[in-house]
Amino acid sequence: MDAHLLRTFVAVAECGSFSAAAAELGYTQSAVSQQIAALESNLGTALLHRRPVVPTPAGERLLEHAGPILLRLDAARADVLRVVGEPPGSIVFGATPLAASPHVARALTELRRSRPGIEVTFAVAGREEVARGVAAGEYHLGLVDGIAAPSDPLKLTAHGTTTAVQNEPLVVALPTDHPLARRRRINLHDLLDARWIDAPEVAAPLPDLRAATETDAIRSTLTYTGTDVLSLLALVAAGHGLAVLPASLTLPGGVAAVPVESPRLVHRTELLHGHVDEPAATTLAAVLADAGERSTG
């Protein structure tokens, strides 16, 4: 099966349109149609209905295999290019905005102490982007955060080996003039009718809060798609909605933090291991893993 044709098939299935997939891939619509026809001929079955453009049952099954296959191909390509083109003693490290904890700064300090002259590229991205980047070999290592029950790992669609780095309490961030701002503890069930900000990259995603409270009542009145925590907190202070955040964050004036008592949840940070045979990545992974044992032990 030609991987080039497989990528085209995935693009058409995800876009739901031959023309949209052609624009995304930089092909003509005719070329995309020919590639899909070639793949269907190779497999001896139709993979896409044409009106509307949706996968057939055989296409659905192929999609289940396509993601892991293409990730492995990307990882292989990145690995080979790293061998022939990456400067010796370099590391590419991805992290989500709230995962860039003091552990990372200390780990990088230790890495530079043990490997002087090391070249580090530190990229900040969304949770799934970091996870997929590690799986595809774009990052040696990744650090991601999210909310979970105290003993549960994070739920990610693409990852390999993980190590817990930190578990810490959660707080509800709300304006200081909010009626509940002076509470010592809070149950999220008391806030089902509150105004919420949906900020999936820098706060607890609302779908996760709905799952934890076993209700669909938690709804957003404003969506923030950025990665700047201070901007989110400015929205909270102005009364646009509440957000659940890790307790270690330093809050600006106008924002109060009330610890979450129930449901039992923590802000969890995990290290994703990718291409760890690179000595620098191995050193960084070991330092972060050791930090995780101390903070979660």
Side-chain angles (χ1 to χ4, degrees):
M1 186 184 304
D2 189 320
H4 181 68
L5 301 182
L6 186 60
R7 288 188 190 279
T8 301
F9 165 69
V10 171
V12 175
E14 290 181 346
C15 292
S17 163
F18 280 75
S19 59
E24 179 179 294
L25 297 171
Y27 301 145
T28 64
Q29 184 172 337
S30 175
V32 169
S33 297
Q34 291 173 14
Q35 291 174 34
I36 296 300
L39 182 60
E40 291 178 326
S41 175
N42 177 263
L43 292 175
T45 186
L47 299 172
L48 292 165
H49 296 296
R50 267 45 176 191
R51 294 179 184 274
V53 179
V54 294
T56 63
E60 291 283 3
R61 184 60 58 86
L62 181 59
L63 277 175
E64 294 176 8
H65 293 282
I69 290 171
L70 295 176
L71 274 175
R72 290 301 303 161
L73 287 173
D74 288 342
R77 176 181 174 81
D79 206 8
V80 171
L81 292 177
R82 183 178 292 117
V83 170
V84 299
E86 185 175 77
S90 65
I91 182 172
V92 183
F93 181 60
T96 53
L98 294 184
S101 67
H103 291 313
V104 177
R106 288 195 293 269
L108 291 175
T109 298
E110 179 61 30
L111 177 64
R112 291 187 179 281
R113 182 181 298 116
S114 62
R115 297 179 62 82
I118 183 74
E119 180 181 326
V120 179
T121 299
F122 185 45
V124 177
R127 294 180 181 91
E128 292 301 332
E129 186 178 346
V130 171
R132 290 184 181 278
V134 172
E138 298 170 9
Y139 303 136
H140 292 92
L141 299 166
L143 205 61
V144 296
D145 74 286
I147 67 167
S151 59
D152 289 349
L154 297 178
K155 296 177 181 179
L156 300 168
T157 58
H159 64 81
T161 306
T162 65
T163 301
V165 171
Q166 185 178 36
N167 283 342
E168 65 172 305
L170 290 165
V171 298
V172 176
L174 64 175
T176 51
D177 59 358
H178 192 281
L180 302 179
R182 296 184 180 277
R183 279 204 182 181
R184 296 177 62 85
R185 297 274 189 275
I186 202 162
N187 186 324
L188 291 183
H189 289 91
D190 296 336
L191 297 170
L192 298 184
D193 296 327
R195 296 159 58 93
W196 289 91
I197 298 175
D198 186 13
E201 298 301 344
V202 287
L206 296 195
D208 292 350
L209 295 183
R210 288 193 283 267
T213 55
E214 299 181 335
T215 176
D216 291 331
I218 294 179
R219 296 292 175 183
S220 65
T221 55
L222 185 150
T223 299
Y224 175 67
T225 60
T227 58
D228 179 40
V229 181
L230 289 178
S231 295
L232 170 63
L233 292 173
L235 293 171
V236 172
H240 292 291
L242 313 183
V244 172
L245 298 163
S248 62
L249 279 180
T250 301
L251 302 182
V255 180
V258 180
V260 174
E261 181 177 47
S262 179
R264 289 194 64 215
L265 297 168
V266 295
H267 179 257
R268 182 177 176 88
T269 303
E270 290 183 358
L271 176 70
L272 309 184
H273 303 250
H275 188 79
V276 293
D277 58 334
E278 159 62 40
T282 304
T283 299
L284 184 57
V287 174
L288 285 167
D290 181 62
E293 289 178 3
R294 293 197 303 270
S295 68
T296 59

